[in-house]
Amino acid sequence: MAGLREGSRKIGIVGTGMVGASFAYAMMQRSLATEMVLIDANRGRAEAEAMDLNHGLPFVRPMRIWAGDYSDLAGAAVTVVTAGAAQKPGETRLQLLERNAEIFRQIVPQIVENNPDGIILIASNPVDIMTYHTLQISGLPPQQVIGSGTILDTARFRYLLGDRYDVDPRSVHAYIVGEHGDSELALWSLANIAGVRLRDFRSSSGVGYDDAALQRIFEQTRDAAYTIIERKGATYYAIGLGLLTIVESILRDQHTVMTVSSLMTGQYGVSDICISLPTIVGAAGVEEVLNLSLSPEEEELFRKSAQTLKERYAQIANKG
């Protein structure tokens, strides 16, 4: 089975910036992997991160962590890609997209050459386009290429809803789908707390349904990254934990449902682009994209989100 390596607990990380390092730190604490190789264009940065992590090993379970090259990815169950360029002052989003697309044209063939059976998990932004770009470059089966998608948006959404209704966010069952970006959408028609639809739920303190308040929660969810980036430069802790959750489901074959980005094959009229829907993830990677009963309005917003991504990808498809 593609992506499944019997007993393999080896993880590769390409890109050791704040997201890659946060994920590596979370992996070490969870003790999921037995080996973790860090790769970065700045070899010194990867070596320093490996040193720092290794110095914490006496506090956790033993594992091997080292800075390596693409050849060291051989046998890895999952390669997590967080590499990419940061936006320069005065640079347009399209220019940034073109630069990251070129970086991926260099990275992805080296990953596949050294580890053709492993799963590739993309976290670099714009994540949906980079995931689809990786799929096109790699030639791998679609189930082996996954993007982190809206897993973080969904977590933010559940946290904010839990905060409003004073319940554990793990008891909130609600999804953000579509693009990881401005055209994403909340699936209000399916949102519930412990099986009770939001429209019918009332907290212990009497907080009930309020369209305006819930719209503000969605806007906070959608725009959270802008606020964090403005105040501290980048987001990395929460996405590091999100990546950990995806990798854990792969390594342990948990069949967890998550809003990851993967290739659409006709869902709600969308095909030939990577975008997020609730998806079962296990040892083989993408196992099934769930077919949910969305409202007509939600289906239309999802199609528009997918079309936005297709138009952006078309701008880079024939370059390089």
Side-chain angles (χ1 to χ4, degrees):
M1 182 183 295
L4 176 59
R5 292 183 178 272
E6 192 66 34
S8 174
R9 294 290 190 210
K10 180 178 180 180
I11 299 297
I13 304 175
V14 179
T16 57
M18 293 305 298
V19 173
S22 296
F23 165 67
Y25 183 53
M27 281 291 295
M28 183 182 76
Q29 291 184 85
R30 188 68 66 87
S31 300
L32 279 174
T34 55
E35 297 179 79
M36 191 158 57
V37 56
L38 312 182
I39 300 170
D40 198 287
N42 180 349
R43 177 65 180 242
R45 173 65 185 258
E47 290 174 347
E49 293 292 355
M51 288 175 64
D52 200 3
L53 291 167
N54 277 316
H55 296 164
L57 285 178
F59 304 114
V60 297
R61 293 180 183 176
M63 65 185 298
R64 184 186 176 211
I65 304 171
W66 80 104
D69 300 308
Y70 287 96
S71 60
D72 294 308
L73 293 174
V78 187
T79 299
V80 180
V81 182
T82 68
Q87 193 162 4
K88 297 178 179 178
E91 184 176 41
T92 67
R93 287 184 177 181
L94 177 57
Q95 288 170 327
L96 175 63
L97 174 56
E98 289 173 348
R99 286 204 295 139
N100 278 338
E102 182 55 36
I103 289 170
F104 269 54
R105 291 186 188 103
Q106 299 168 26
I107 288 174
V108 173
Q110 296 183 80
I111 296 172
V112 176
E113 179 183 357
N114 290 285
N115 192 25
D117 296 325
I119 291 166
I120 302 179
L121 173 57
I122 305 298
S124 308
N125 280 319
V127 68
D128 302 290
I129 296 175
M130 291 298 100
T131 302
Y132 185 73
H133 193 44
T134 296
L135 188 60
Q136 300 306 303
I137 296 168
S138 68
L140 293 175
Q143 68 267 24
Q144 280 180 245
V145 179
I146 309 173
S148 56
T150 57
I151 188 170
L152 177 54
D153 309 88
T154 292
R156 289 168 172 156
F157 192 45
R158 291 176 177 179
Y159 163 74
L160 291 169
L161 286 171
D163 187 57
R164 169 175 168 77
Y165 291 105
D166 197 24
V167 297
D168 186 335
R170 293 174 297 180
S171 298
V172 177
H173 306 287
Y175 298 111
I176 298 291
V177 302
E179 174 199 11
H180 172 56
D182 294 342
S183 72
E184 66 188 30
L185 61 140
L187 298 185
W188 292 113
S189 67
L190 300 177
N192 69 87
I193 297 174
V196 180
R197 299 291 188 191
L198 283 189
R199 187 170 292 278
D200 302 320
F201 190 88
R202 185 168 293 275
S203 75
S204 57
S205 60
V207 173
Y209 191 88
D210 183 310
D211 276 318
L214 293 178
Q215 178 60 26
R216 286 194 297 271
I217 283 176
F218 169 68
E219 291 169 0
Q220 285 180 276
T221 298
R222 183 193 60 202
D223 301 336
Y226 296 125
T227 302
I228 295 170
I229 290 169
E230 179 184 353
R231 295 180 182 184
K232 74 167 196 170
T235 68
Y236 35 87
Y237 296 134
I239 187 57
L241 289 169
L243 293 170
L244 170 70
T245 302
I246 298 169
V247 170
E248 181 176 25
S249 189
I250 294 168
L251 293 181
R252 292 182 171 168
D253 197 21
Q254 290 179 167
H255 315 290
T256 306
V257 176
M258 294 174 280
T259 52
V260 295
S261 185
S262 65
L263 183 69
M264 294 294 102
T265 56
Q267 291 85 354
Y268 312 108
V270 174
S271 60
D272 202 29
I273 194 66
C274 291
I275 196 169
S276 289
L277 283 172
T279 301
I280 300 174
V281 177
V286 174
E287 297 186 344
E288 183 181 357
V289 178
L290 298 184
N291 183 21
L292 308 176
S293 297
L294 307 187
S295 71
E297 180 184 10
E298 289 166 348
E299 287 193 25
E300 181 60 26
L301 288 172
F302 181 75
R303 284 191 287 269
K304 287 181 178 179
S305 186
Q307 185 59 34
T308 296
L309 291 172
K310 285 189 173 188
E311 290 170 0
R312 289 181 192 157
Y313 182 76
Q315 293 176 304
I316 65 161
N318 298 319
K319 294 182 180 291

